Amino acid sequence: MPRLPSCSWPWPTLVGLVLCVFLQTGHAATPISDPAAFLQQTESLRLKDHPQFVQMLEQIHREAPRVTSGEQWHLRYLDAWETMFQGDYGKSETQLHDVIDHSGDVDLTAKASALLLSNLAANRRYEEAFALANRLATGVSEIKDPQTRFTVLINLSQMLDLAGQTDLAIKYARMMENVVPPGETLCRPLSLQAAALSNGKRLTSSSPELQRAIDTCVAARQPVIANAMWLVLSSLYLDEDQPAKAMALLDRIAPSILINHYYPHMLSAQVQRAQAYEKLHHDSDARKAALVAVAMGRPGDISEWLKEAYEVLYRIEKKRSNTASTLSYYEHYVAQDKGYLNDISARTLAYEVTQQHMLVQKLETERLSKQNNILRLQQALDIKAVETSRLYNGLMLMVLVSIVFWLYRLKRSQLRFKKLSYHDGLTGILNHQHFISEADRVLHLLEKKLGSACLISIDLDHFKQVNDTHGHAMGDAVLRHTVAICQQQLRPTDLFGRLGGEEFAILLLECSRDQSMAIADRIRMTIETTPVDGDGCIVSFSVSVGLASTDRSGYVLQRLCREADAALYRAKRTGRNRVIADTENGSLVEA
């Protein structure tokens, strides 16, 4: 059953708190006499009055009135929507697939598929999302129900905007203006156009498109969408160096953001507040606001908002000459910036791959169509054997040339994409082959200037037991968790790769043996004290670490690997969950 959104938000105004409580408790529940009408009314309140939407969902679950099969599937769709609104994308995906695969309702299936687009994008499964978007775009003209078509167009516009296709995103948003169903307004079409223009860097704070979207959504009483537009305006104020205007606007919309408790809006508003304080030279307030924003981030989150929060902290600590804090926040900022840029690249690449797949399908359709035309021509021109033969041979030659040409282009594209695949698909770090080649190259360069480096070999203890006991999904979560912890301790110049299975390697450049031992032991202790929590199951695990340095083993990668592996095996044999390194006299030392 969906939970009521919490009112916890770092904005201690009595009026905002009272308003939040009022909107969550002020609606008197009346008994449900018509479940179908009740569900329609509930759906209409999703963004217009989200607290009331949640209350009505709880009411129908609590009273459990007698409903038809179609009404039951409608309720499951609304549950999936609320689950996704609260940020539980995994559970929401399962619920949406259940509706798509088993409801048997064409319109409900289309709406659930459209919502699944946003879910897949939130989980960075862009290739699946764009493939689904293409299927929905192909069938949108066949959708008869106005509300369903409106919903599908919303999500198509958002997906094209995510892919950086600004003009296509605006095109779908404008199509919505011509199919606004009863009970809807121009709020969503205009807000999607403004969002696409903003992401395409085509808006200013005085742009009429943005002001029209704001006025329309406020008049339509769509607070969640209106808040999104206000936050776009606030961001533009900051870009135009008008922090006082941005701060006044953030203060004005804070109670509404508090009431609706939409996580992206809460985080975005907090980061913008930190940026505005900094531009107003209120460094202490800026630092507090940025720290709140960072605390709101979830483990493994990569976003432009967190990048900007760390950037504020970095600049403030640098101004205060706090070297350690400056370096720490800068490393977080670089990691967020790199992750954010990688995410944009992943979206673009996924979009291009999906377009290539569509091109192949189109080619196959055209080939079959041409073959059918050839057969029809053969039957019609039997009395003209010579002409028919010539025509047939000519058309076949055209088809073969077309196939060879397009297959050549497809193969060339596939080879180009393959060259880009240097990262491990599960964890996102360097794969085995690319790590080895990069490490070998870097060591050759390091040897010329007599620098120092250490190779760390990491292996998860009893990983097979995790897979056997909790399943491979939990095993994958443990691997990603391990990578995230290691990345927190590494510098941008260090190399980090997955050698296979549960084995990882790190090459620390310009790092002494003692410093490397300290880093390795911090990684080990952090992993030991930070279990993985997934699906109600908490899994604790540990790692064994072996270390070899260029001071002891030289700059040949193969020897470094042997020495690090030997130390790793000693750590395994002597009880696991420890760091062991070679010493200069050939013995081993434990951290």
Side-chain angles (χ1 to χ4, degrees), residues 411-423:
K411 185 63 176 179
R412 187 174 63 178
S413 297
Q414 289 175 339
L415 290 174
R416 179 164 58 89
F417 295 143
K418 186 177 181 180
K419 289 180 182 179
L420 299 176
S421 301
Y422 292 143
H423 293 80

Side-chain angles (χ1 to χ4, degrees), residues 194-399:
L197 289 170
S198 175
N199 290 335
K201 306 300 182 184
R202 303 182 192 176
L203 274 187
T204 67
S205 62
S206 59
S207 295
E209 296 90 348
L210 178 58
Q211 191 57 52
R212 186 185 175 201
I214 291 173
D215 294 341
T216 303
C217 292
V218 170
R221 296 182 180 179
Q222 293 277 8
V224 175
I225 306 176
N227 288 341
M229 294 297 98
W230 286 123
L231 288 169
V232 169
L233 178 58
S234 174
S235 176
L236 291 171
Y237 281 148
L238 291 171
D239 291 342
E240 296 166 5
D241 203 22
Q242 300 184 68
K245 284 188 175 182
M247 185 65 76
L249 179 55
L250 291 170
D251 287 344
R252 182 151 56 89
I253 65 175
S256 178
I257 291 177
L258 172 66
I259 290 168
N260 290 285
H261 205 73
Y262 186 39
Y263 172 75
H265 289 177
M266 296 166 65
L267 180 56
S268 176
Q270 192 64 28
V271 173
Q272 290 187 28
R273 187 174 295 278
Q275 292 172 320
Y277 275 132
E278 184 187 18
K279 286 179 178 290
L280 291 169
H281 306 293
H282 299 167
D283 288 353
S284 179
D285 291 331
R287 182 177 183 276
K288 291 178 183 177
L291 287 174
V292 170
V294 168
M296 292 171 65
R298 297 159 180 169
D301 273 2
I302 296 292
S303 75
E304 187 175 13
W305 299 316
L306 291 176
K307 178 195 74 171
E308 291 173 349
Y310 279 118
E311 188 176 13
V312 169
L313 291 169
Y314 156 68
R315 286 197 297 261
I316 291 174
E317 294 300 328
K318 183 179 180 181
K319 189 184 302 184
R320 294 179 174 181
S321 300
N322 293 334
T323 305
S325 297
T326 300
L327 178 60
S328 175
Y329 288 134
Y330 180 74
E331 290 176 349
H332 283 293
Y333 161 71
V334 169
Q336 286 289 329
D337 186 51
K338 181 181 178 182
Y340 179 67
L341 293 176
N342 287 343
D343 189 58
I344 293 176
S345 299
R347 292 182 224 157
T348 304
L349 180 61
Y351 181 76
E352 292 177 358
V353 169
T354 306
Q355 296 305 104
Q356 287 291 330
H357 289 168
M358 284 189 63
L359 183 63
V360 173
Q361 292 173 358
K362 182 179 179 181
L363 173 63
E364 181 65 19
T365 302
E366 290 176 352
R367 185 180 70 83
L368 293 174
S369 178
K370 288 178 180 179
Q371 286 181 337
N372 289 334
N373 288 336
I374 292 170
L375 292 174
R376 283 196 295 269
L377 286 171
Q378 277 186 305
Q379 294 171 356
L381 300 175
D382 281 340
I383 60 175
K384 296 183 178 180
V386 175
E387 290 81 1
T388 301
S389 177
R390 290 175 180 173
L391 179 61
Y392 176 78
N393 290 336
L395 289 173
M396 284 299 296
L397 181 60
M398 289 176 58
V399 171

Side-chain angles (χ1 to χ4, degrees), residues 531-568:
V532 176
D533 186 357
D535 295 328
C537 175
I538 297 178
V539 177
S540 298
F541 64 100
S542 63
V543 295
S544 297
V545 184
L547 185 145
S549 67
T550 54
D551 296 339
R552 166 71 177 85
S553 304
Y555 296 92
V556 178
L557 180 60
Q558 290 181 341
R559 182 176 178 186
L560 278 171
C561 289
R562 285 198 306 270
E563 299 290 348
D565 286 343
L568 172 62

Side-chain angles (χ1 to χ4, degrees), residues 54-318:
V54 174
Q55 284 192 5
M56 293 178 73
L57 271 186
E58 290 191 334
Q59 182 183 351
I60 194 168
H61 279 291
R62 184 174 59 250
E63 295 184 14
R66 190 182 301 275
V67 296
T68 65
S69 175
E71 292 163 354
Q72 182 63 41
W73 284 113
H74 192 180
L75 176 59
R76 292 186 186 182
Y77 165 73
L78 295 180
D79 286 338
W81 189 98
E82 175 59 20
T83 301
M84 183 173 165
F85 187 88
Q86 295 295 337
D88 191 344
Y89 298 107
K91 181 179 179 182
S92 176
E93 181 182 350
T94 300
Q95 294 171 321
L96 289 171
H97 275 300
D98 193 26
V99 174
I100 293 168
D101 297 337
H102 304 110
S103 70
D105 185 320
V106 175
D107 292 330
L108 195 59
T109 297
K111 288 199 290 187
S113 298
L115 187 58
L116 184 58
L117 280 179
S118 299
N119 193 303
L120 292 171
N123 284 322
R124 296 186 174 87
R125 291 157 58 186
Y126 299 123
E127 192 168 335
E128 295 177 56
F130 289 128
L132 177 57
N134 286 332
R135 293 198 296 272
L136 288 172
T138 301
V140 70
S141 60
E142 301 175 4
I143 298 175
K144 305 302 181 185
D145 179 62
Q147 182 64 57
T148 303
R149 180 180 294 188
F150 194 71
T151 302
V152 170
L153 289 173
I154 288 172
N155 287 273
L156 286 175
S157 178
Q158 291 174 333
M159 282 304 302
L160 270 300
D161 190 15
L162 188 69
Q165 303 297 313
T166 302
D167 292 329
L168 285 175
I170 293 174
K171 174 185 174 182
Y172 280 116
R174 287 177 177 166
M175 288 172 62
M176 294 168 60
E177 295 185 46
N178 301 321
V179 292
V180 177
E184 291 285 355
T185 68
L186 289 174
C187 170
R188 286 201 246 192
L190 295 180
S191 66
L192 287 173
Q193 291 179 46
L197 289 170
S198 175
N199 290 335
K201 306 300 182 184
R202 303 182 192 176
L203 274 187
T204 67
S205 62
S206 59
S207 295
E209 296 90 348
L210 178 58
Q211 191 57 52
R212 186 185 175 201
I214 291 173
D215 294 341
T216 303
C217 292
V218 170
R221 296 182 180 179
Q222 293 277 8
V224 175
I225 306 176
N227 288 341
M229 294 297 98
W230 286 123
L231 288 169
V232 169
L233 178 58
S234 174
S235 176
L236 291 171
Y237 281 148
L238 291 171
D239 291 342
E240 296 166 5
D241 203 22
Q242 300 184 68
K245 284 188 175 182
M247 185 65 76
L249 179 55
L250 291 170
D251 287 344
R252 182 151 56 89
I253 65 175
S256 178
I257 291 177
L258 172 66
I259 290 168
N260 290 285
H261 205 73
Y262 186 39
Y263 172 75
H265 289 177
M266 296 166 65
L267 180 56
S268 176
Q270 192 64 28
V271 173
Q272 290 187 28
R273 187 174 295 278
Q275 292 172 320
Y277 275 132
E278 184 187 18
K279 286 179 178 290
L280 291 169
H281 306 293
H282 299 167
D283 288 353
S284 179
D285 291 331
R287 182 177 183 276
K288 291 178 183 177
L291 287 174
V292 170
V294 168
M296 292 171 65
R298 297 159 180 169
D301 273 2
I302 296 292
S303 75
E304 187 175 13
W305 299 316
L306 291 176
K307 178 195 74 171
E308 291 173 349
Y310 279 118
E311 188 176 13
V312 169
L313 291 169
Y314 156 68
R315 286 197 297 261
I316 291 174
E317 294 300 328
K318 183 179 180 181

Side-chain angles (χ1 to χ4, degrees), residues 419-431:
K419 289 180 182 179
L420 299 176
S421 301
Y422 292 143
H423 293 80
D424 177 55
L426 175 64
T427 61
I429 60 177
L430 298 179
N431 59 30

